[in-house]
Amino acid sequence: MNYDEKFSSAIADLKKEGRYRIFADLKRHCGDFPRATWQGPNGPKEITVWCSNDYLGQGQNAEVLAAMHDALDIYGAGAGGTRNISGTSRAHVLLEDELASLHQKEAALIFSSGFVSNEAALSALSRVLKGVTVFSDELNHASMIEGIRHGGAPKRIFRHNDVKHLVELLEQADPAAPKIIAFESVYSMDGDIAPMADIVEVAKKYNALTYLDEVHAVGLYGEQGAGVAEATGTMGDIDVIEGTLGKAFGTMGGYITGSAVMVDCVRSYAPGFIFTTSLAPVIAAGACASIQYLRRHNDLRQRHQERAATLKRKLAEAGLPVMQTPSHIVPVMVGDPVRCKAISDELLAVDGIYVQPINFPTVPRGTERLRFTPSPFHDDDMMDRLVAALDRIWIAARLPRAA
C-alpha cells in the first residue's frame, strides 16, 4: 500500500473544495501592533494584521514583556516537567491565584492551551459525575465537543442560544441525575452572545452544573475584564468558567476556575493535565502581568468596543455584507470557499491587508466569511483603506451587497 498516495488524495480533496489552508509567514513588529512583515513569494511585504486574536495587543504590552524578561532570568526557559513532577513553579501558583481572584472563584487550574483546558475538564467532569448528561449548545467550539465525546457521557444538543429548547431537553432527563450545561459567552464566528441570565435561571431550576467557555470574552468584557459573566452580573452563579491566556491576554495557555474541590477533581482525573509538561514559567509570569494590567485598564476595553463599532459602521455604509454582531467580532459574509480564499489572497498580495478566510468545518458550508478583529490600535486610516480595498474587490467580482 502506498500511504503517501492516500495522504496526497486527502490533501487534493481539500484543495478541490477550496478548504486547503496556507500559513502566512509573519514577523510581528514588537511595539508596533498590528503591523507585521509578511514573507511572501515575492519577498518581504509590510502588512496590517486584521485577524489576530491578540485582541488588545497585550502581546506587545511593555509591562507584560518586562515581566517575562524578569521571569526568564529568575526561572530559566522551561518548566522542567509536568505539574506533578517538578513542573510547578511559583509563577504557576501566582497565575492561578490571579485567575481565581479575577473570576471570584475559590481556585483555578492552568493548561497548555484553551483547547486542552476544555477537552480535559469536560471529559474529566463527565467521567467523575457518574450518570451525568451533558447539554451542549450546537455551536460550541470543537474543543468542547471533543471533551464531551471523550468523557463518554450521554449528550443532548440544544439549538444555538435557544433556552426554550434547552428546557425541553432538560424536562426529558432524570430529575435526580447529574447534568452539565455547556455553552460559550461570545461565539467567535457569528459574534453573538449567550443569554447568560436565562441559562443560569434554567440551570438552577433543574439543578444542573453550568460550564461556561469565556475564551473570546476574558479581558474584553466586564469592569475588570472577567468576561460576559462579570458584565451581566452572573459570574457568581456559574459553576465552571473556562478561559484562555492566548487571546486578549496576549500570551498562551488555558484555564478553568470554580470551587476548590471541582478544580482538584479535574487536576486529579484529567489525563490532558496530568501527563502534559506545564507552561513555561516565563509565559505564566507574562500572563499574570497581562491580567493585572487589564484589570486596571477598563479604558482599553472601551476603546476596543468603539473600534469594533466604527468598523461595522464603515463597512455597512459602503454596502458591504457585514454582520451587525453585539460583540467585537466583525464578520463579512462571502458564502463560497474558493472566492473567500481568493479575496483573502488579493487583500494580502495587493493591499497589504491580512485576514484569513473562514471556511468549513469552522463554519457551515455556504457561510464562508472574512472575520475581522479590530483592536484598539487599528486607526481610522487603516479602516478606510480596508473598506476601500473590499469595495474595489466587491465591484470587480460583482459580489452581492448588503441588503
Side-chain angles (χ1 to χ4, degrees):
M1 180 179 292
N2 190 324
Y3 289 100
D4 280 350
E5 279 188 4
K6 293 188 177 294
F7 299 144
S8 296
S9 176
I11 293 298
D13 288 344
L14 289 178
K15 290 181 176 179
K16 184 179 180 180
E17 294 178 38
R19 295 197 291 120
Y20 182 70
R21 304 182 186 207
I22 298 174
F23 296 156
D25 183 351
L26 304 180
K27 182 173 72 175
R28 302 212 308 171
H29 300 166
C30 188
D32 198 22
F33 183 81
R35 294 175 177 85
T37 300
W38 170 53
Q39 189 65 41
N42 299 317
K45 182 181 180 67
E46 299 307 301
I47 66 164
T48 302
V49 178
W50 273 100
C51 55
S52 175
N53 283 338
D54 187 359
Y55 291 124
L56 301 177
Q58 285 292 99
Q60 311 290 321
N61 184 308
E63 290 189 21
V64 175
L65 298 181
M68 296 181 77
H69 280 293
D70 290 345
L72 187 62
D73 291 335
I74 294 169
Y75 299 104
T82 65
R83 288 292 298 276
N84 187 52
I85 304 176
S86 82
T88 296
S89 73
R90 186 64 184 158
H92 298 108
V93 175
L94 292 175
L95 173 56
E96 288 173 341
D97 288 346
E98 188 69 34
L99 287 165
S101 172
L102 174 68
H103 292 289
Q104 298 176 22
K105 301 298 182 186
E106 291 179 349
L109 191 66
I110 55 174
F111 299 79
S112 54
S113 75
F115 190 104
V116 174
S117 57
N118 266 334
E119 192 284 326
L122 278 167
S123 62
L125 292 172
S126 296
R127 289 192 298 269
V128 168
L129 296 172
K130 304 299 183 185
V132 70
T133 298
V134 182
F135 297 81
S136 177
D137 188 288
E138 68 176 336
L139 292 189
N140 276 343
H141 190 263
S143 58
M144 302 175 77
I145 295 169
E146 287 300 302
I148 295 166
R149 180 181 294 130
H150 291 163
K155 63 180 182 292
R156 300 290 181 269
I157 310 301
F158 60 93
R159 290 186 292 271
H160 178 53
N161 280 348
D162 189 336
V163 179
K164 183 178 179 181
H165 188 220
L166 172 61
V167 169
E168 290 174 4
L169 296 177
L170 287 164
E171 286 282 358
Q172 299 168 16
D174 180 356
K179 305 167 187 66
I180 298 173
I181 300 174
F183 63 107
E184 300 182 39
S185 56
V186 176
Y187 288 82
S188 63
M189 292 301 127
D190 289 346
D192 53 344
I193 296 175
M196 201 79 66
D198 293 339
I199 293 176
V200 164
E201 182 180 355
V202 167
K204 288 181 177 179
K205 179 179 179 180
Y206 291 92
N207 195 25
L209 182 144
T210 44
Y211 184 102
L212 172 64
D213 177 314
E214 287 257 44
V215 296
H216 289 278
V218 290
L220 303 174
Y221 296 85
E223 189 68 25
Q224 294 193 53
V228 174
E230 181 193 12
T232 56
T234 56
M235 190 160 62
D237 296 311
I238 303 292
D239 297 296
V240 186
I241 296 178
E242 183 269 348
T244 184
L245 306 169
K247 293 183 170 58
F249 294 132
T251 55
M252 71 171 290
Y255 65 87
I256 60 167
T257 64
S259 70
V261 68
M262 182 280 298
V263 169
D264 196 23
C265 231
V266 173
R267 182 188 72 86
S268 302
Y269 280 89
F273 174 82
I274 296 169
F275 298 106
T276 299
T277 299
S278 61
L279 281 177
V282 65
I283 294 174
C288 195
S290 181
I291 296 164
Q292 292 169 345
Y293 181 90
L294 290 179
R295 293 183 77 172
R296 304 192 307 269
H297 287 85
N298 193 40
D299 58 306
L300 201 58
R301 280 181 283 282
Q302 293 170 347
R303 167 73 174 171
H304 182 234
Q305 290 293 323
E306 180 275 322
R307 291 286 78 195
T310 297
L311 180 60
K312 290 173 198 172
R313 175 178 57 78
K314 288 177 178 288
L315 290 166
E317 288 172 352
L320 292 160
V322 58
M323 292 175 65
Q324 292 296 336
T325 71
S327 71
H328 59 283
I329 305 295
V330 185
V332 173
M333 302 304 292
V334 178
D336 176 81
V338 175
R339 182 162 281 172
C340 195
K341 185 179 185 308
I343 295 170
S344 171
D345 289 346
E346 181 174 343
L347 286 171
L348 184 59
V350 176
D351 302 285
I353 291 170
Y354 175 54
V355 58
Q356 270 294 93
I358 306 296
N359 296 330
F360 178 85
T362 307
V363 295
R365 298 180 194 275
T367 68
E368 292 81 9
R369 67 199 67 182
L370 303 171
R371 174 184 173 273
F372 297 95
T373 54
S375 75
F377 307 102
H378 286 86
D379 59 28
D380 282 353
D381 180 61
M382 291 176 180
M383 291 187 180
D384 290 340
R385 285 190 285 112
L386 168 64
V387 172
L390 288 171
D391 189 56
R392 181 195 75 236
I393 292 171
W394 249 253
I395 291 172
R398 298 182 178 181
L399 294 171
R401 294 279 180 163

